[in-house]
Amino acid sequence: MSDRPRVYLVDDHAMVRAGVRAELGDSVTVVGEAADVDSAVAGIRAAVPDVVLLDVHLPGGDGRAVLEALRAELPEVRWLALSVSDAAEDVIAVIRAGARGYVTKTISGPDLVAAVQRVAEGDVVFSPRLAGFVLDAFAASSPSAPEPEDPATDPGLDLLSAREREVMQLLARGYTYREIGGRLFISVKTVESHASNVLRKLQLSNRNELTRWAATNRLL
């Protein structure tokens, strides 16, 4: 993958696609767009982008139908749902189908760029509070997973300062650095420093691992 992810846009509203293009700017290379399921499948198959920005509801089916048609054929393509819907059933359906994340159309331009880049790099991304839907759904579908006896059994938690715990919980819930800074009244650089410390102390590599760790320890 080049420095600029190659992105394919799927949304049934031309104005939305134009707005997303404008927000993404020169941070990505838009290699195509489609407004319905059939044209999306054909276009993505031809373009083989790094990331598909996929609306959940489309003429001729839904975003999940596009993903299911191509996921096995194009395993290198990563999928990020971008939708006006924040309904739990929509979030869970598209994630179960293989999307790497789900953000709503209230997301800011800079945060959308960051989300696309993170998904292109293999991370997972959720708008704030949507991560809880997914974690709850997958926990419910894994009855063999043992329940922790106590709400914070990992000794790594004791290594975190009170502020680092606050940052950890917000990171695990899908908040961006900017959003965390706004909620905690600290700078983005301070959030980045705390996030780095949290991952180091917990011996985790990325947000995906942090979210799973927090869920396991009932910290979400």
Side-chain angles (χ1 to χ4, degrees), residues 7 13 18 34 47 50 63 65 87 113 135-136 138 144 157 163 166 183 200 202 213 216:
V7 176
H13 294 98
D50 297 313
V113 170
L135 291 167
D136 289 347
F138 280 87
S144 60
L157 188 65
R163 178 62 87 192
E166 291 178 311
R183 291 175 70 93
R200 176 177 54 80
L202 297 178
W213 179 90
T216 298

Side-chain angles (χ1 to χ4, degrees), residues 102-194:
Y102 193 116
V103 295
T104 63
K105 290 178 180 176
T106 59
I107 192 171
S108 69
D111 288 342
L112 179 58
V113 170
V116 169
Q117 290 173 336
R118 284 174 54 196
V119 167
E121 291 166 0
D123 205 351
V124 295
V125 179
F126 295 99
S127 287
R129 87 182 183 84
L130 298 188
F133 296 157
V134 180
L135 291 167
D136 289 347
F138 280 87
S141 66
S142 303
S144 60
E147 288 284 334
E149 297 178 359
D150 166 4
T153 57
D154 194 305
L157 188 65
D158 293 333
L159 300 175
L160 304 183
S161 68
R163 178 62 87 192
E164 286 169 350
R165 290 189 189 197
E166 291 178 311
V167 170
M168 174 272 294
Q169 287 185 305
L170 293 172
L171 280 171
R173 290 170 183 165
Y175 286 82
T176 65
Y177 288 160
R178 184 179 293 104
E179 289 166 336
I180 294 170
R183 291 175 70 93
L184 301 181
F185 303 102
I186 56 179
S187 71
V188 172
K189 283 191 174 182
T190 301
V191 175
E192 291 174 349
S193 177
H194 285 315

Side-chain angles (χ1 to χ4, degrees), residues 29-30 147:
T29 300
V30 177
E147 288 284 334

